[in-house]
Amino acid sequence: MKTSPQVSDYFSHAYRDARRRLLAAASGLRNRHGVMIDSRSIGARGPEGETLALDWIQFGARRPRRVVVLSSATHGVEGFLGSALQLATVHRLLPSLRLASDQAVVMQHANNPYGFAWLRRVNESNVDLNRNFVAHFDPTRCNEGYEDLYDALNPTDLDPDNEALRWASIARYAEARGDRAFQQAVSEGQYKYPQGLQFGGQAPAASRRALEALVAEHLADADRIAWLDIHTGLGESGACELISGASRDSAPFAAAREVWGESLKSAASGDSVSTPLNGLMDVGLASVVPARARFAFAVAEYGTYPINRVFSAFRADNWLHQFGDPTNPAEPRTRTIKAEILEAFRPDDEHWRRTVIAHGLDLMQRALSMRP
Ligand SMILES: [Zn+2]
């Protein structure tokens, strides 16, 4: 007898496993909806030499007018939840879904496959993909707070005495300016220091180019797009905040509100758990989708642990990749740092996993019931 998987089973152990399972499950719906898979490899390889690719998996119409997209792993290691939700959607929602002849559903797997495979938020060039969608790259662009905090944010060693001094200077900054100002200074996105945290790049990343090409090609006839991009790490454990990168008075924000409801927050307007950010994916993709399309994009941000723990995890990971031995899993420090970043963005906690998958499936239901 075939039993349906438990929620925690949707979470994979590694990118390669996640990708293989989703592609297999999608192919299983071939006779139900028709399935088109367009995989774009980014060139870089995973820890076991595996191909790293963005997989655009489209069910239903080939040239859809109405489309719902669910994407994962814009921030690499955050992709475990997004990928699990994609698998759950394919298992639990798509088999019974009736798609009209002009309608499609897309699982866009692994926007940043390198970060997913190597357990990093950033890509193969230390770039935060969700800061990379700027129109012009200015290699001097960096806010003053980040400049002031550079040495504390980007340690060159993990010597405990030096680290204590760095954390003290971070605490002083947050105390003097406030936690929000600290978050803004760190996370806004900088384009000056390729080895630093929150680097937005100095050219469009391979993943950005691949994603833009997929969207331009497959959504050329779309006039209603509801897009959900799954993230983890900010907010209360298990809570979800829906965030638009667009400002509150913009057309994309209005379109997203229509699908995702009144609770949608605007990062640009500063009313979200996220502070205003540079180079966001939704703002970039808005210029790639057809101009006439209603483009309702929301980041679904699921909280995991307190922000200090999450921040410490990816700060340590940046040290590891700049100064440590990240490709050697036998090295004790590598093992510790990688275990911690994985836990920070993919908690090993049944209750958390059940809560977030149930919530994510609800969001997908809402998008799928979108009126023409
Ligand atoms: Zn994220």
mmCIF file of all heavy atoms in Angstrom, residues 74-75 78 121 130 230-233 299 301 345, ligand 1:
data_model
loop_
_atom_site.group_PDB
_atom_site.id
_atom_site.type_symbol
_atom_site.label_atom_id
_atom_site.label_comp_id
_atom_site.label_asym_id
_atom_site.label_seq_id
_atom_site.Cartn_x
_atom_site.Cartn_y
_atom_site.Cartn_z
ATOM 1 N N THR A 74 16.577 31.185 -2.917
ATOM 2 C CA THR A 74 17.212 32.441 -3.321
ATOM 3 C C THR A 74 18.426 32.672 -2.417
ATOM 4 O O THR A 74 19.481 33.110 -2.859
ATOM 5 C CB THR A 74 16.208 33.611 -3.165
ATOM 6 O OG1 THR A 74 15.089 33.321 -3.999
ATOM 7 C CG2 THR A 74 16.823 34.938 -3.554
ATOM 8 N N HIS A 75 18.235 32.328 -1.122
ATOM 9 C CA HIS A 75 19.334 32.370 -0.163
ATOM 10 C C HIS A 75 19.836 30.959 0.136
ATOM 11 O O HIS A 75 19.923 30.547 1.295
ATOM 12 C CB HIS A 75 18.885 33.070 1.126
ATOM 13 C CG HIS A 75 18.843 34.555 0.993
ATOM 14 N ND1 HIS A 75 17.890 35.345 1.583
ATOM 15 C CD2 HIS A 75 19.678 35.400 0.320
ATOM 16 C CE1 HIS A 75 18.124 36.622 1.272
ATOM 17 N NE2 HIS A 75 19.203 36.676 0.519
ATOM 18 N N GLU A 78 18.645 28.459 2.805
ATOM 19 C CA GLU A 78 17.242 28.621 3.204
ATOM 20 C C GLU A 78 16.325 27.748 2.338
ATOM 21 O O GLU A 78 15.121 27.654 2.592
ATOM 22 C CB GLU A 78 16.829 30.101 3.094
ATOM 23 C CG GLU A 78 17.637 31.025 3.996
ATOM 24 C CD GLU A 78 17.277 32.504 3.815
ATOM 25 O OE1 GLU A 78 16.215 32.801 3.255
ATOM 26 O OE2 GLU A 78 18.088 33.355 4.247
ATOM 27 N N ARG A 121 24.254 31.143 2.434
ATOM 28 C CA ARG A 121 23.174 32.022 1.976
ATOM 29 C C ARG A 121 23.517 32.600 0.607
ATOM 30 O O ARG A 121 22.643 32.961 -0.165
ATOM 31 C CB ARG A 121 22.964 33.198 2.949
ATOM 32 C CG ARG A 121 22.222 32.844 4.210
ATOM 33 C CD ARG A 121 22.003 34.078 5.070
ATOM 34 N NE ARG A 121 20.829 34.847 4.695
ATOM 35 C CZ ARG A 121 20.827 36.057 4.155
ATOM 36 N NH1 ARG A 121 21.959 36.668 3.904
ATOM 37 N NH2 ARG A 121 19.708 36.673 3.870
ATOM 38 N N ASN A 130 19.757 37.993 -3.594
ATOM 39 C CA ASN A 130 18.647 38.921 -3.355
ATOM 40 C C ASN A 130 19.115 40.357 -3.087
ATOM 41 O O ASN A 130 18.374 41.167 -2.539
ATOM 42 C CB ASN A 130 17.771 38.427 -2.209
ATOM 43 C CG ASN A 130 16.311 38.875 -2.377
ATOM 44 O OD1 ASN A 130 15.846 39.095 -3.495
ATOM 45 N ND2 ASN A 130 15.608 39.029 -1.263
ATOM 46 N N ILE A 230 10.202 31.459 -1.044
ATOM 47 C CA ILE A 230 10.264 31.013 0.353
ATOM 48 C C ILE A 230 11.645 31.272 0.974
ATOM 49 O O ILE A 230 12.669 30.862 0.417
ATOM 50 C CB ILE A 230 9.944 29.503 0.449
ATOM 51 C CG1 ILE A 230 8.587 29.192 -0.211
ATOM 52 C CG2 ILE A 230 9.965 29.043 1.903
ATOM 53 C CD1 ILE A 230 7.389 29.836 0.434
ATOM 54 N N HIS A 231 11.630 31.926 2.125
ATOM 55 C CA HIS A 231 12.867 32.220 2.879
ATOM 56 C C HIS A 231 12.713 31.749 4.323
ATOM 57 O O HIS A 231 11.596 31.601 4.814
ATOM 58 C CB HIS A 231 13.137 33.723 2.903
ATOM 59 C CG HIS A 231 13.548 34.281 1.571
ATOM 60 N ND1 HIS A 231 14.776 34.846 1.356
ATOM 61 C CD2 HIS A 231 12.882 34.348 0.393
ATOM 62 C CE1 HIS A 231 14.862 35.257 0.092
ATOM 63 N NE2 HIS A 231 13.722 34.965 -0.519
ATOM 64 N N THR A 232 13.851 31.610 5.002
ATOM 65 C CA THR A 232 13.825 31.316 6.441
ATOM 66 C C THR A 232 14.861 32.175 7.156
ATOM 67 O O THR A 232 15.829 32.647 6.552
ATOM 68 C CB THR A 232 14.145 29.835 6.750
ATOM 69 O OG1 THR A 232 15.461 29.524 6.281
ATOM 70 C CG2 THR A 232 13.154 28.886 6.103
ATOM 71 N N GLY A 233 14.638 32.378 8.468
ATOM 72 C CA GLY A 233 15.679 32.988 9.303
ATOM 73 C C GLY A 233 15.311 34.291 9.993
ATOM 74 O O GLY A 233 15.984 34.683 10.944
ATOM 75 N N VAL A 299 7.708 37.547 -0.778
ATOM 76 C CA VAL A 299 8.609 36.681 -0.028
ATOM 77 C C VAL A 299 7.822 36.161 1.171
ATOM 78 O O VAL A 299 7.155 36.943 1.857
ATOM 79 C CB VAL A 299 9.836 37.476 0.468
ATOM 80 C CG1 VAL A 299 10.510 36.795 1.651
ATOM 81 C CG2 VAL A 299 10.838 37.665 -0.664
ATOM 82 N N GLU A 301 8.650 34.812 4.564
ATOM 83 C CA GLU A 301 9.818 34.712 5.455
ATOM 84 C C GLU A 301 9.393 33.985 6.734
ATOM 85 O O GLU A 301 8.535 34.480 7.473
ATOM 86 C CB GLU A 301 10.307 36.126 5.774
ATOM 87 C CG GLU A 301 11.495 36.209 6.711
ATOM 88 C CD GLU A 301 12.811 35.817 6.066
ATOM 89 O OE1 GLU A 301 13.292 36.537 5.159
ATOM 90 O OE2 GLU A 301 13.356 34.776 6.486
ATOM 91 N N PHE A 345 18.892 27.806 9.631
ATOM 92 C CA PHE A 345 17.964 28.048 8.519
ATOM 93 C C PHE A 345 17.050 26.855 8.219
ATOM 94 O O PHE A 345 16.099 26.988 7.454
ATOM 95 C CB PHE A 345 18.741 28.455 7.260
ATOM 96 C CG PHE A 345 19.405 29.803 7.406
ATOM 97 C CD1 PHE A 345 20.768 29.916 7.645
ATOM 98 C CD2 PHE A 345 18.651 30.967 7.334
ATOM 99 C CE1 PHE A 345 21.373 31.159 7.805
ATOM 100 C CE2 PHE A 345 19.238 32.212 7.488
ATOM 101 C CZ PHE A 345 20.597 32.310 7.721
HETATM 102 ZN ZN ZN B 1 16.316 34.870 2.811
#
